[in-house]
Amino acid sequence: MPVVWSPTTRDHDPQHEVWVGVATIGTEVAARVDAILAGVTEAGHPLVDATARPDDVLARVHDPSMLTFLADAAERWRQGPYADLVGQTRVVPYLFPTPAMTAGLPARRAVAVHAEAGSYAYDTMTVVGPGTWEAARAAVDCALGAVDLVLAGEGAAYALCRPPGHHATPAGFGGSCYLNNAAVAAEALRAGGHDRVAVIDIDAHQGNGTAAIFYDRADVLYGSVHVDPGAGWFPHVVGYAEETGTGAGEGATRNVPLPEGTGDALWLEAVAGLADWVAAEGCSALVVSLGVDAAADDPESPLLVTVDGYRGAGAILGRVGLPAVVVQEGGYHLPTLGGLVAAYLDGHGS
Ligand code: SP5
Ligand code: ZN
């Protein structure tokens, strides 16, 4: 399976993620790109360099004000006093103008970048620094490159997207995600002539961004298997089974939350359920949000999927028989990351 990648995806260096108010060492690191490259190269998959793509599809997925904020935030921060005053070189939100704060008042946009950040960032873990925008935009180019290969007749193509994307909503970023690569891929497949596209998300966390982007639409299905947010896991407030879509999109969303400690058998059963659903719904193309953080060794989730489990998931989704764009999402255990991705691609087949 061709692997579309870009060296620019290494340029995002979050250094720390602020979790419960403490700067902890981030797990969404540039070395992930090299771990995955090593795994897929070893398995014999050919590398394809991503090329710069226009913004039109991206602009259908995200609010223009968030795109402008992300493109400019690192430089605005650099011009501010933050590094000198407190040693902070990354954009970290300081307040969140949720309804709890604005409470019906006619709130304006914050002028200071440290305050405006909370209008788009919905957590403190997803920091913006020099290179973040360029890396996130390059990841979108990887997704679009993989779509073009599939539109040109490849049975499947893999986009080595980093940073990941499935937690990025129309106007929000969080969960280590800035731009929703999988949603861009789905929109690009739609624009390329596929009338109904399915996104199946096997990252350990529910892809609340992708779910939100397509929640009221019938033309893009979203199905996710993930650790139960009700057991206290990210994204915490959404990802429950009763969320099935709204309006024209009623029935076009499926969430399959699984208990902590779930291993291959139950996880693969859930993946197979989503595959059967997509096969029955008349989709002509598939996007797979391939997070490998459901693996047992992963530091960010309590699921216990094995490398054979990921190979099995690839086989199940490959058997659906649709042209497929496989988009990288999470997966943080560097020693096993490349092998997990390669196992999925091996199972999926060309
Ligand atoms: C794309 C993806 O997999 N995003 C993961 C989002 C879940 N992150 C939640 C992080 C919770 C805090 N992690 C503790 C580790 C401290 N460094
Ligand atoms: Zn994840």
Side-chain angles (χ1 to χ4, degrees), residues 17 19 24-27 125 164-167 175-177 203 205 234 293 300 329-332:
E17 53 185 30
W19 187 64
T24 59
I25 294 296
T27 49
M125 304 179 297
H166 73 152
H167 297 306
S176 305
C177 300
D203 185 279
H205 308 96
F234 196 94
D293 48 2
E300 296 289 350
E329 302 287 358
Y332 307 99

Side-chain angles (χ1 to χ4, degrees), residues 60 170 187 196 208-222 243-253:
R60 283 210 284 280
E187 283 285 11
R196 202 164 202 214
N208 59 297
T210 318
I213 289 162
F214 298 118
Y215 203 59
D216 63 355
R217 287 173 51 173
D219 61 327
V220 180
L221 275 66
Y222 178 75
E243 297 160 28
T244 55
T246 191
E250 183 59 58
T253 296

Side-chain angles (χ1 to χ4, degrees), residues 125-173:
M125 304 179 297
T126 310
V127 305
V128 177
T132 298
W133 166 254
E134 290 76 9
R137 191 61 188 76
V140 166
D141 289 336
C142 294
L144 290 170
V147 168
D148 277 358
L149 289 173
V150 165
L151 291 177
E154 288 282 350
Y158 168 71
L160 205 178
C161 297
R162 187 269 164 182
H166 73 152
H167 297 306
T169 66
F173 60 94

Side-chain angles (χ1 to χ4, degrees), residues 198-202 221 223-224 271 274-275 278 286-290 317:
V199 181
I200 296 188
D201 188 331
I202 62 170
L221 275 66
S224 177
V271 174
L274 292 176
V278 163
L286 174 65
V287 175
V288 178
S289 267
L290 174 62
L317 296 179

